[in-house]
């Protein structure tokens, strides 16, 4: 049985990864995900992409975000500057799944010059459809939830504006 996903997702892609972003948008349309493509122009920079998605997830307007640039590193670094954003740069199916189950990442970063289309779609799907602590026993789930709480407290203490 296929999972029903109701999370609001925002996606944006930098110029060198526009091709990957377009493939991911088509995939999300086919899956019926509730998403917004925030790529205002095919020539967006990684600073713009990371900022638009970082702000949208930080504000709570979107539950999850997806950012892509050539390597994934630039958008990852920028998105992570926003309070409440936990962006994971992934290059495999397993790391995409662990980004959700272990660290509760809410933004997925990928490199358009690093990851093949089919793999990118599978990573996006597992990221969106996996829940934090999914598959762990109660004790391990509580430990991971405690770590996440500590990370949020650290985030709050560092983002005092």
């Amino acid at each position: 049985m296929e999972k029903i996903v109701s999370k609001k997702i925002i996606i944006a892609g930098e110029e060198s990864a526009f091709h990957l972003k377009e493939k991911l948008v088509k995939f999300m349309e086919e899956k019926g995900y509730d998403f917004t493509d925030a790529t205002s122009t095919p020539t967006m920079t990684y600073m713009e992409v990371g900022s638009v998605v970082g702000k949208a997830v930080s504000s709570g307007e979107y539950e999850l975000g997806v950012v892509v640039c050539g390597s994934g590193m630039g958008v990852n670094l920028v998105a992570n500057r926003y309070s409440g954003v936990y962006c994971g740069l992934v290059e495999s199916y397993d790391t995409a799944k662990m980004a959700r189950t272990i660290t509760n990442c809410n933004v997925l970063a990928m490199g358009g010059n690093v990851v093949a289309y089919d793999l990118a779609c599978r990573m996006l799907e597992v990221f969106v459809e996996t829940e934090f602590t999914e598959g762990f026993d109660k004790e391990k789930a509580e430990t991971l939830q405690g770590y996440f709480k500590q990370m949020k407290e650290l985030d709050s203490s560092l983002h005092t504006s």
Side-chain angles (χ1 to χ4, degrees), residues 45-65:
T45 67
Y46 75 83
M47 290 295 299
E48 293 168 321
V49 168
S51 291
V52 73
V53 172
K55 286 178 188 174
V57 173
S58 179
S59 73
E61 184 179 355
Y62 291 87
E63 294 172 73
L64 298 175

Side-chain angles (χ1 to χ4, degrees), residues 50-107:
S51 291
V52 73
V53 172
K55 286 178 188 174
V57 173
S58 179
S59 73
E61 184 179 355
Y62 291 87
E63 294 172 73
L64 298 175
V66 180
V67 289
V68 293
C69 69
S71 67
M73 290 184 197
V75 290
N76 178 58
L77 290 171
V78 175
N80 271 316
R81 295 299 180 260
Y82 291 88
S83 180
V85 172
Y86 308 103
C87 184
L89 173 58
V90 302
E91 294 179 357
S92 74
Y93 178 88
D94 288 335
T95 55
K97 184 172 184 169
M98 288 186 292
R100 290 289 298 141
T101 59
I102 294 173
T103 57
N104 202 18
C105 285
N106 53 11
V107 177

Side-chain angles (χ1 to χ4, degrees), residues 27-56:
F27 177 76
M28 289 193 289
E29 287 171 348
E30 291 169 359
K31 295 292 288 182
Y33 292 165
D34 179 9
F35 75 96
T36 299
D37 181 358
T39 309
S40 58
T41 172
T43 59
M44 286 179 76
T45 67
Y46 75 83
M47 290 295 299
E48 293 168 321
V49 168
S51 291
V52 73
V53 172
K55 286 178 188 174

